[in-house]
Amino acid sequence: MKWIIPVVLLVMVLPAMAMDPVQTGEKLLGVSLETPESRETQAYLGLSAKPAFTMDDIDADVVIVEIFSMYCPHCQREAPMINQFHDLLLTRKTSKPSIKLMGIGAGNSSFEVDYFRKTYKVAFPLFADGDFVVHKALGEVRTPYFIALSREPDRSWKVVLSRPGGIESPEAFLSTILELARGGK
Amino acid sequence: MRFFIVLLLLLAPASGHCLSSAFESSVFDPGHLTPRDSVLKVKVGDPVPDFMLPAISGGQVGPSQFRGKKNLVISFIPAAWTPVCSDQWPGYNIARPLFDAHDAVLFGISVDSRATLYSWTRAMKDLWFPVLSDFWPHGQVAQSFGVLRSDGMAERAIIIVDKRGIIRFLHVSDINVRPELGMIIQALDAITP
């Protein structure tokens, strides 16, 4: 299944209780997802062919996660702009910091995520979170919701952006991400 | 710091919902409801109950108008402006090609008034399918299928009727859980030559 990956190997939050949305400055450790079958997706994320991967396995300096849903009118409307943003990432003149984009379909099955991907011609990896596991772990956010993670010197991932809603423009969003990833330097 | 432990096991499926920003603060969260609160009065193989209901676009709409022409998918939802429902029909809106491919039309039905449904569905932008109000006599059509709950809301139900007017698929969801689109399409696959 190209670019569509169900969330099978799951995560447990300690303590296991409902939480507020993930906040800027927090660190995320140990999130695990099933490795996508697609070699193209594996290559994009820099993954090896083992059954599951964690954020640590992703070959990137910054990972942007969009929490979306096939059923979300705003996500539907925003999809073309997010695609433009992905295109912008792919055509950047500089490769540093390397930035990867992925989507998690909250409450969406593989079928639904795949349908969204085909309908809007999404070229970046999308994961199905049919049981809301990742969604709950991230604080049961509304859709669309963007989280940007920047790799720290100790190889952990720090949340540098956590916000609801869409993006203003691909260029503005990229500029924001770069500024946050560099710590405002 | 938020810690996650990696588990190499499948957890039990969780229920939940995820509300779109499109509805902002307009949505009322009724909390977790009793999953089912009705007894079906129809079964696969039965003729679909005949009905005509007012559509928010005007006029009366019912299954007989599509007999011999279209397969019919009936989507009952409990109430407008509630979390799961507000994130259900917008998905069907973009899935029109899938319904068209199965020569199917969709009815969206709730027990809300036409005015309420009009306002609610405007927040979803234009819906391609008829949205029907089973408001008065209250929930009479839902009752005829056996999907009217004791609190006056409808169940979250999908009913598929073939071109001969025969019910070919019935699914009453846990009211707190949106039915999966793939299940609907699979059921349409089964009745489409």
Side-chain angles (χ1 to χ4, degrees), chain B residues 80-97:
Chain B
W81 300 112
T82 54
V84 181
C85 311
S86 296
D87 268 352
Q88 182 170 344
W89 288 351
Y92 301 162
N93 207 29
I94 68 169
R96 182 175 189 176

Side-chain angles (χ1 to χ4, degrees), chain A residues 5-130:
Chain A
I5 309 98
V7 176
V8 173
L9 297 177
L10 305 174
V11 297
M12 179 69 75
V13 180
L14 291 181
M17 60 181 68
M19 292 185 286
D20 293 330
V22 62
Q23 299 297 312
T24 300
E26 290 191 28
K27 290 192 174 183
L28 298 183
L29 299 174
V31 177
S32 181
L33 300 171
E34 184 182 10
T35 298
E37 293 178 3
S38 163
R39 296 297 180 90
E40 189 176 1
T41 305
Q42 292 178 21
Y44 174 77
L45 296 175
L47 304 177
S48 60
K50 52 184 183 178
F53 73 97
T54 69
M55 290 291 296
D56 289 344
D57 296 315
I58 296 176
D59 182 21
D61 300 310
V62 177
V63 174
I64 302 167
V65 180
E66 181 195 12
I67 310 298
F68 76 98
S69 170
M70 189 207 87
Y71 293 89
C72 160
H74 277 183
C75 305
Q76 296 164 1
R77 185 169 61 254
E78 286 277 308
M81 188 177 292
I82 306 305
N83 286 342
Q84 292 171 29
F85 176 67
H86 181 243
D87 290 341
L88 187 61
L89 294 180
L90 294 178
T91 57
R92 291 168 61 211
K93 293 180 179 177
T94 175
S95 60
K96 287 293 181 180
S98 64
I99 304 174
K100 299 296 169 63
L101 177 63
M102 57 195 285
I104 294 180
N108 289 178
S109 67
S110 296
F111 181 96
E112 291 161 337
V113 167
D114 190 48
Y115 185 73
F116 184 91
R117 179 186 67 78
K118 290 175 179 174
T119 298
Y120 295 104
K121 299 179 173 58
V122 177
F124 55 91
L126 300 179
F127 293 81
D129 183 27

